[in-house]
Amino acid sequence: MIALPVLWLYGASGVGKTTVTWELFVQLTREGVAAGYVDIDQLGMCYGPPTRQHWAPEPAADPGRHQLKARTLDAVVANFQDAGARCVIVPGVTDPVRGVETDLVPHAALTTCRLRAEPAELSRRLAARGSPNDDHAEQIAYADALDRAFATEPCVDTTGLTVGEVVDRVRARTGWPDLAAPVEKPSATRQVPDPTPGEILWLHGPAAVGKSTVGWQVYQQVRRVGISAAFVDLDQIGFHRPAAAGDPGNHRLKAANLAAVWHAFRDSGAECLIAVGPLDRPEDLAAYTAVLPAATITLCQLHASRQVLAERVARRGRGLTPTRGLAGDELLGQPQARLHEIADQAALIVDALDGVGDLRVDTDDRLADQIATEILGRTGWPSQRTDIRPGPPPRP
């Protein structure tokens, strides 16, 4: 297999990795380049139970889970190539000493570029995000370590630049992507069954129904009772443009990548996985069950009324969302008329998928942790958990 061109932009939080890489992804696809995008953080959300000292204790053999992320990226890159991608863009942190270990990603022809910002600018951006002051110090120290360790590596300083200017400098500095190399004809995303067993809870629903927020609360509650768990956002591991014919939601690619991620997480000690992501049509579920025949998938449909969906879509459009910062939020900055259309479409999807899955949970006027408690109480999920208590009943 010919290695696929992959650009990995790394740096401290606040330097602009996600914003810049998403703009580059959009540019390339507008230029007619079939491209994939995956957030490297999504390939490492696999943690044991919290301790009193630290919410997310690091494994001694792989601090930062950088090797886990790199190995999982290799499997994901192969799936993108099968789907027809000519290149893949990856934002995320790296080991401050070893950097990107290219030998762990043999399916990728890796190009790396560091983004940085002056300390005062970095602190200003983190403050604008609402990050606590101690996080400022940690990220500035991490940025300084990268400055010292990789001073001779390709780098773009984002201080005082627009997103477009940073993208232009990254492309000029790296010459990426080099598409002159021969490419293999896509074989369509492989639907190879993975024998990895285990329990997967999938929260589905349309935009603004609350999948990510509720799913994260489920993940935290499961870990608090002593279970090693993992979390993944299906959109963040399945961005590919153009989508395959007959699969506008990229579900075959997302399913293949979910199987790859779950295999890696299970090998790292995860006992269960919480996945969040849309299910556009009932028939799309078959792509996931085909590649995960040994896993037990519990499907939970999140439901919201048309009025609540409209309110949440409007808030997302103004950037008022708990998941701010994730790539690909196509509601952000949209005009009011377009937001109304999205809310109408979301309501139609809710109705079309009503009854698809193992349970339906209403999210209107409820806190995310309450909804998460109800889901766990009604399903008894995961089976390793011994302290299941019924969740609060849904509001009328």
Side-chain angles (χ1 to χ4, degrees):
M1 177 178 284
I2 300 171
L4 192 68
V6 174
L7 175 65
W8 189 332
L9 287 192
Y10 66 99
S13 294
V15 296
K17 300 183 297 296
T18 300
T19 307
V20 170
T21 49
W22 185 257
E23 177 60 25
L24 176 55
F25 174 67
V26 171
Q27 282 190 18
L28 289 174
T29 54
R30 285 175 179 166
E31 294 167 9
V33 177
Y37 181 104
V38 60
D39 185 339
I40 198 67
D41 289 341
Q42 293 286 328
L43 308 184
M45 292 186 184
C46 176
Y47 299 106
T51 67
R52 292 183 179 180
Q53 291 75 31
H54 201 289
W55 172 248
E58 301 287 359
D62 184 18
R65 293 170 178 77
H66 299 297
Q67 294 178 5
L68 168 63
K69 294 175 185 178
R71 288 192 299 267
T72 311
L73 176 63
D74 187 58
V76 165
V77 164
N79 290 332
F80 274 109
Q81 188 167 33
D82 286 340
R86 296 200 63 196
C87 59
V88 174
I89 304 163
V90 179
V93 298
T94 62
D95 188 292
V97 177
R98 293 191 293 262
V100 177
E101 297 185 66
T102 57
D103 59 314
L104 298 178
V105 199
H107 288 102
L110 270 172
T111 298
T112 61
C113 182
R114 179 167 56 91
L115 298 186
R116 72 174 307 278
E118 289 300 313
E121 173 64 11
L122 190 59
S123 185
R124 184 192 67 78
R125 294 178 187 177
L126 292 170
R129 290 182 177 184
S131 301
N133 289 334
D134 55 350
D135 188 50
H136 296 199
E138 181 180 344
Q139 292 303 321
I140 289 172
Y142 175 67
D144 181 64
L146 294 179
D147 278 344
R148 289 183 280 105
F150 305 108
T152 61
E153 299 297 317
C155 178
V156 172
D157 192 321
T158 67
T159 306
L161 300 180
T162 66
V163 174
E165 290 170 337
V166 176
V167 171
D168 290 342
R169 294 193 183 192
V170 167
R171 297 185 76 168
R173 184 76 175 84
T174 63
W176 192 91
D178 179 6
L179 301 178
V183 295
E184 294 184 353
K185 183 178 179 181
S187 58
T189 307
R190 292 173 291 178
Q191 292 284 283
V192 179
D194 188 288
T196 305
E199 297 181 80
I200 298 175
L201 176 66
W202 178 4
L203 277 59
H204 77 91
V209 78
K211 301 182 295 296
S212 298
T213 307
V214 174
W216 190 255
Q217 285 294 327
V218 170
Y219 174 58
Q220 291 181 331
Q221 290 188 25
V222 168
R223 290 187 56 232
R224 286 191 190 111
V225 299
I227 294 175
S228 296
F231 179 92
V232 68
D233 184 318
L234 296 176
D235 277 338
Q236 298 298 314
I237 62 171
F239 288 118
H240 181 264
R241 295 179 182 173
D247 186 20
N250 283 321
H251 288 289
R252 288 175 62 88
L253 172 62
K254 291 176 183 177
N257 283 346
L258 175 62
V261 167
W262 175 230
H263 185 96
F265 287 172
R266 184 74 169 179
D267 283 350
S268 296
E271 299 171 85
C272 59
L273 169 70
I274 295 93
V276 299
L279 186 63
D280 303 302
R281 306 167 300 178
E283 55 266 33
D284 293 328
L285 180 60
Y288 298 87
T289 56
V291 296
L292 291 162
T296 301
I297 300 177
T298 301
L299 193 61
C300 175
Q301 181 204 6
L302 297 187
H303 185 278
S305 66
R306 169 64 178 80
Q307 178 181 350
V308 169
L309 286 171
E311 292 171 354
R312 293 176 182 171
V313 166
R315 287 179 58 81
R316 281 265 298 274
R318 300 196 302 271
L320 304 175
T321 170
T323 57
R324 182 180 179 181
L326 288 178
D329 188 348
E330 296 184 350
L331 278 63
L332 185 62
Q334 292 288 344
Q336 194 65 34
R338 176 57 183 151
L339 294 175
H340 280 304
E341 292 177 1
I342 293 171
D344 288 338
Q345 183 181 19
L348 290 174
I349 292 174
V350 164
D351 291 339
L353 294 176
D354 199 21
V356 176
D358 299 286
L359 74 160
R360 173 184 181 275
V361 177
D362 289 320
T363 66
D364 284 9
D365 303 319
R366 302 177 62 195
L367 298 176
D369 60 346
Q370 294 174 335
I371 301 168
T373 300
E374 179 187 344
I375 292 170
L376 294 174
R378 289 175 59 187
T379 61
W381 193 93
S383 61
Q384 303 98 318
R385 187 175 173 178
T386 60
D387 69 336
I388 294 295
R389 295 183 299 274
R395 295 186 180 184

